[in-house]
Amino acid sequence: MQFLSQLGVSPAYGVKVWKKWGLNSADMIKANPYILCSFGIDLSFEKAEEIAENMQIPKDSDNRLKAGINYILIENTFAGHTCLPFDRLMQKATELLEIDTETFERIVDEEITNINLVEYQKDDKKYIYLREYYIAESFISRRMLYMRSSLYNNHIDFDEVIDIDEKENGIKYEEHQRQAINLALQNGFMILTGGPGTGKTTTLNAIISLFEQQGLKVFITAPTGRAAKRISDLTGYDAKTIHRLLDIQPASDDRFSFVHNEENLLDCDVIIIDEMSMVDVMLFEALLRAMPLSCKLIMVGDSDQLPSVGAGNLLKDLIESKIVPSVKLTQIFRQAQESAIVKNAHMIINGQVPDLKQKDNDFFFIQRLEFSELTNTIIELQKQRLPKAYGFSPIDDIQILCPTRKGPVGVYELNKALQGVLNPYSKNSNELKTQAYTFRENDKVMQTKNNYDINWTRDDERGSGIFNGDIGIVKSVDKTAATLTIDFDGRLCVYNSAMQENLELAYAITVHKSQGSEFDVVILPLLGGYDKLYFRNLLYTAVTRAKKMMIVVGSSNRFEFMVNNDKRAFRYTCLKSMLLKDDSNEYENIL
């Protein structure tokens, strides 16, 4: 840490470096400072360049060129890409590293030879992967093909069983619900999708109940704690996060490994994954590796929502490949039709603009065309009007969702404004200033990156791991020790200064970070911003986060633009291509 501080690198990186390389760290960095850009350390390439320059390492060093190309691929995983086209990677690398195409091709060939990078051919075009992302997508495709061949062969009709279930529970399933239940019981390998109010939960309850009646051991899981709690509340069955189901354990390189894997399989007959749209390829690969080969798999989600925060376009690729049978529920049930939130969400995803003048239900629009007026209206709604009229808690029940982080009504600016009103500075309340934020007791905060090392306690239970998107409340601030004690839905954690780097205020969060969660009240500011960031399924995702009330504040023109803008965020991935190839001879690789 002392050595790194002399290079202008913060102590937080020192901890990561020590955990990854131990006693040899300083010598390794002196020999090749670009290793600081690697996975698990994640120093910016620009900072590594600065260090290398001070060490007089030449610009044409192979270490620099390899690190630069890897860095571009790593950065693009944060944008959701699992790979990049060869020519796009070449363009970015030649610009960043100031090299010619021949040098680029030589370095990439060497990295492919050393199996640090992998080349994949799709539609007569070359794609370049980081090794672990290729392994993930390749494994997923082979396991899906294996499951289709081994599970998708049962043609028993379960109509009579479903009829008995209907009579016993006083339920009448509609056609697509029956089809989904039948398919799940026949093959135990399917995707169930549908928007709000289409009876997904009712269908899922029937599937779980009928599996259990067959004596099968069913595990229910979801990608986030909030999503797991929600599906548990809706179905009445216990649900765990995927991380908790696999029993996470920290690894030496600041990533993670799981107790359950190919060598220690989960003890279950059926796995049901909810909020499948949020699952990225790395997490799905880990889950598949821990599943017994005979295990059934039911994936549930909303294919119209945003893709996962992590890399990949998993649910979309699986559905479009048609390798996994899928059923989409489309009928909105009568009770759900009474909700303007449900009705408008379906109108939005079908490209229809809802009537924003209606104000007699649970969906409201307030026109504000000046940023200052919009901010003042949000503050007034959250602090006074909604709590006074409906009894909603400003902290627990109301959530501001923003399309973007930056801008006058982005996450940064709104969080500062809302903290100043909802939790202002007080002599009686401790606070701790970090580089980006000032955290006070009773602040609403969010973890922005998976951290598998954070220990937590809940009553007599102990565990570790706080994950990207987890929201908590600061219970106390210790200024002397520079620590925060935070309550994440009953899990108490102590955050030191290094952990605080991945913590931010959460009075306002992005729509992307809200996936898998539901809030009693959602307030969505819509004004200004870049057109390419304002698209239909982002608006749809925001609206479907609201349980009791949805309020849009801003420009009706901006709202209409989003409904009409059906350009989805594009992601480079070859999973669909892998699924459609005849790889049947490769099943032995996963056995």
Side-chain angles (χ1 to χ4, degrees):
M1 287 168 75
Q2 200 171 24
F3 168 69
L4 285 175
S5 68
Q6 292 167 0
L7 303 176
V9 178
S10 76
Y13 291 102
V15 174
K16 294 179 181 181
V17 167
W18 175 260
K19 282 166 64 177
K20 190 166 185 177
W21 295 306
L23 287 167
N24 297 322
S25 300
D27 289 338
M28 289 173 69
I29 293 165
K30 286 173 187 173
N32 178 15
Y34 292 101
I35 62 173
L36 292 169
C37 301
S38 62
F39 266 130
I41 309 299
D42 304 322
L43 189 71
S44 73
F45 184 74
E46 290 76 14
K47 184 62 183 176
E49 285 271 73
E50 184 187 310
I51 295 168
E53 195 174 335
N54 290 336
M55 292 181 174
Q56 298 182 328
I57 291 172
K59 290 277 188 183
D60 61 356
S61 156
D62 279 6
N63 284 335
R64 172 181 179 265
L65 304 183
K66 288 174 183 177
I69 291 167
N70 275 269
Y71 184 70
I72 291 166
L73 290 166
I74 291 168
E75 284 295 291
N76 276 273
T77 66
F78 297 130
H81 307 299
T82 59
C83 56
L84 283 182
F86 181 85
D87 52 0
R88 185 176 174 88
L89 177 61
M90 181 163 65
Q91 179 195 343
K92 287 178 171 288
T94 51
E95 287 174 8
L96 174 70
L97 302 170
E98 298 175 340
I99 55 174
D100 57 36
T101 55
E102 281 185 22
T103 305
F104 167 78
E105 288 174 357
R106 175 179 66 81
I107 294 295
V108 168
D109 285 345
E110 285 181 16
E111 288 290 85
I112 290 170
T113 302
N114 295 328
I115 327 179
N116 294 323
L117 301 179
V118 179
E119 179 185 308
Y120 182 84
Q121 200 83 15
K122 180 178 82 167
D123 302 330
D124 299 323
K125 196 171 183 179
K126 284 196 296 188
Y127 289 79
I128 304 298
Y129 275 89
L130 292 164
R131 180 172 177 268
E132 59 193 335
Y133 281 93
Y134 174 79
I135 290 171
E137 289 203 335
S138 175
F139 181 85
I140 290 167
S141 69
R142 286 181 281 129
R143 184 67 187 260
M144 291 292 100
L145 289 163
Y146 171 79
M147 290 181 77
R148 180 177 174 86
S149 70
S150 64
L151 294 173
Y152 196 59
N153 54 15
N154 185 347
H155 301 295
I156 299 170
D157 196 320
F158 285 88
D159 270 343
E160 280 190 33
V161 174
I162 298 170
D163 289 341
I164 294 168
D165 183 72
E166 283 183 331
K167 286 177 184 175
E168 287 181 351
N169 293 293
I171 294 173
K172 183 68 179 172
Y173 300 116
E174 60 94 21
E175 182 186 349
H176 286 102
Q177 287 181 308
R178 287 186 73 93
Q179 182 189 350
I181 298 165
N182 217 328
L183 199 57
L185 295 176
Q186 277 182 0
N187 303 303
F189 181 54
M190 67 164 294
I191 296 170
L192 173 64
T193 70
T198 57
K200 262 190 317 192
T201 303
T202 303
T203 309
L204 188 56
N205 273 333
I207 291 170
I208 298 167
S209 174
L210 292 170
F211 273 142
E212 289 190 331
Q213 286 177 36
Q214 292 178 5
L216 300 177
K217 190 172 184 179
V218 181
F219 284 172
I220 305 167
T221 188
T224 68
R226 283 175 170 257
K229 184 177 186 304
R230 178 171 164 267
I231 194 63
S232 186
D233 291 344
L234 288 171
T235 63
Y237 293 92
D238 183 42
K240 293 180 179 177
T241 64
I242 298 173
H243 292 92
R244 198 167 171 212
L245 181 68
L246 298 179
D247 199 356
I248 195 161
Q249 57 185 9
S252 58
D253 63 353
D254 199 41
R255 285 193 238 174
F256 60 90
S257 62
F258 293 109
V259 170
H260 291 289
N261 51 34
E262 300 101 319
E263 296 173 2
N264 182 21
L265 298 173
L266 292 163
D267 178 21
C268 62
D269 304 302
V270 182
I271 286 182
I272 294 173
I273 311 174
D274 192 35
E275 294 290 355
M276 188 65 192
S277 63
M278 295 178 64
V279 181
D280 61 64
V281 295
M282 300 300 284
L283 190 56
F284 193 52
E285 178 207 9
L287 181 62
L288 291 179
R289 287 187 184 277
M291 281 175 50
L293 286 176
S294 60
C295 186
K296 301 175 187 296
L297 179 65
I298 310 297
M299 295 166 274
V300 184
D302 187 340
S303 54
D304 293 316
Q305 284 188 29
L306 294 169
S308 59
V309 174
N313 214 345
L314 191 57
L315 184 60
K316 181 173 180 285
D317 286 343
L318 291 174
I319 291 172
E320 289 185 355
S321 74
K322 295 184 168 58
I323 293 298
V324 186
S326 64
V327 176
K328 184 170 185 176
L329 304 179
T330 54
Q331 181 179 319
I332 306 171
F333 287 91
R334 190 173 61 195
Q335 188 177 354
Q337 286 176 351
E338 296 171 4
S339 164
I341 293 172
V342 172
K343 185 177 71 176
N344 289 346
H346 285 273
M347 288 185 71
I348 288 165
I349 209 61
N350 290 322
Q352 301 169 314
V353 181
D355 181 1
L356 299 179
K357 293 175 183 174
Q358 287 192 353
K359 295 185 181 293
D360 58 350
N361 204 299
D362 52 9
F363 190 107
F364 302 93
F365 175 79
I366 302 172
Q367 180 99 335
R368 293 290 183 270
L369 301 178
E370 297 291 335
F371 289 119
S372 58
E373 288 182 3
L374 191 156
T375 302
N376 289 337
T377 300
I378 287 175
I379 289 170
E380 188 184 335
L381 284 166
Q382 187 158 4
K383 187 181 180 185
Q384 297 166 345
R385 286 167 61 179
L386 293 172
K388 187 176 179 181
Y390 302 98
F392 290 124
S393 161
I395 303 295
D396 298 331
D397 300 330
I398 303 170
Q399 184 62 58
I400 314 299
L401 299 184
C402 303
T404 61
R405 298 180 67 80
K406 297 178 181 178
V409 288
V411 166
Y412 292 127
E413 293 301 321
L414 281 178
N415 268 322
K416 281 196 288 185
L418 289 162
Q419 183 192 41
V421 172
L422 298 174
N423 193 24
Y425 170 75
S426 164
K427 290 180 181 178
N428 301 322
S429 179
N430 287 328
E431 65 177 32
L432 193 62
K433 292 188 178 181
T434 66
Q435 195 169 353
Y437 295 94
T438 297
F439 295 113
R440 298 177 184 137
E441 290 172 355
N442 302 315
D443 265 337
K444 188 176 185 178
V445 294
M446 182 175 64
Q447 177 74 13
T448 61
K449 188 177 178 184
N450 290 349
N451 188 324
Y452 308 97
D453 292 339
I454 298 177
N455 295 316
W456 52 262
T457 59
R458 177 167 49 199
D459 300 325
D460 295 331
E461 187 183 1
R462 294 180 182 277
S464 64
I466 299 294
F467 304 111
N468 188 356
D470 283 354
I471 293 175
I473 303 294
V474 178
K475 304 306 288 184
S476 64
V477 176
D478 187 331
K479 295 177 76 171
T480 307
T483 60
L484 306 170
T485 300
I486 304 173
D487 182 350
F488 289 96
D489 289 327
R491 295 170 297 162
L492 282 177
C493 318
V494 177
Y495 270 59
N496 60 32
S497 56
M499 297 170 185
Q500 291 160 24
E501 290 189 3
N502 297 319
L503 198 66
E504 61 183 37
L505 294 173
Y507 300 102
I509 63 174
T510 62
V511 177
H512 284 83
K513 294 284 189 185
S514 73
Q515 286 176 269
S517 299
E518 277 191 336
F519 310 95
D520 283 352
V521 182
V522 167
I523 302 176
L524 177 70
L526 289 184
L527 188 62
Y530 296 109
D531 286 356
K532 66 179 182 179
L533 299 176
Y534 284 67
F535 45 92
R536 185 187 298 170
N537 69 331
L538 185 133
L539 177 60
Y540 172 79
T541 301
V543 170
T544 54
R545 301 307 91 208
K547 280 198 290 188
K548 296 179 180 177
M549 189 177 292
M550 178 75 206
I551 303 173
V552 181
V553 186
S555 161
S556 57
N557 289 339
R558 199 35 144 180
F559 187 97
E560 188 172 336
F561 174 85
M562 290 184 80
V563 174
N564 292 323
N565 182 15
D566 197 25
K567 291 182 180 176
R568 302 199 174 198
F570 182 77
R571 294 185 165 194
Y572 290 112
T573 162
C574 297
L575 177 59
K576 181 181 170 184
S577 168
M578 293 174 185
L579 287 162
L580 293 173
K581 281 190 176 180
D582 182 12
D583 287 331
S584 54
N585 61 327
E586 294 190 46
Y587 289 144
E588 63 215 44
N589 295 330
I590 64 169
L591 298 180

